[in-house]
Amino acid sequence: MAVANAACAENDTLHNMPFEVTPEKVCAAIKAADAYGHYFLGE
């Protein structure tokens, strides 16, 4: 969650997305990407 909070800093370009970006959404995206990586690696 610390990484997600840092990614959502007020001056970060992540806020240029055409939708609301929250630390919770960023954290979920990180976890999903990790799960896909483990799945495709067969772990």
Side-chain angles (χ1 to χ4, degrees):
M1 197 63 181
V3 172
N5 282 321
C8 291
E10 204 172 300
N11 61 345
D12 197 279
T13 59
L14 198 60
H15 297 289
N16 292 334
M17 300 299 284
F19 49 85
E20 182 185 17
V21 179
T22 64
E24 291 77 19
K25 289 180 181 179
V26 173
C27 186
I30 292 169
K31 288 180 180 181
D34 184 58
Y36 278 122
H38 284 284
Y39 173 78
F40 286 110
L41 290 173
E43 297 177 356

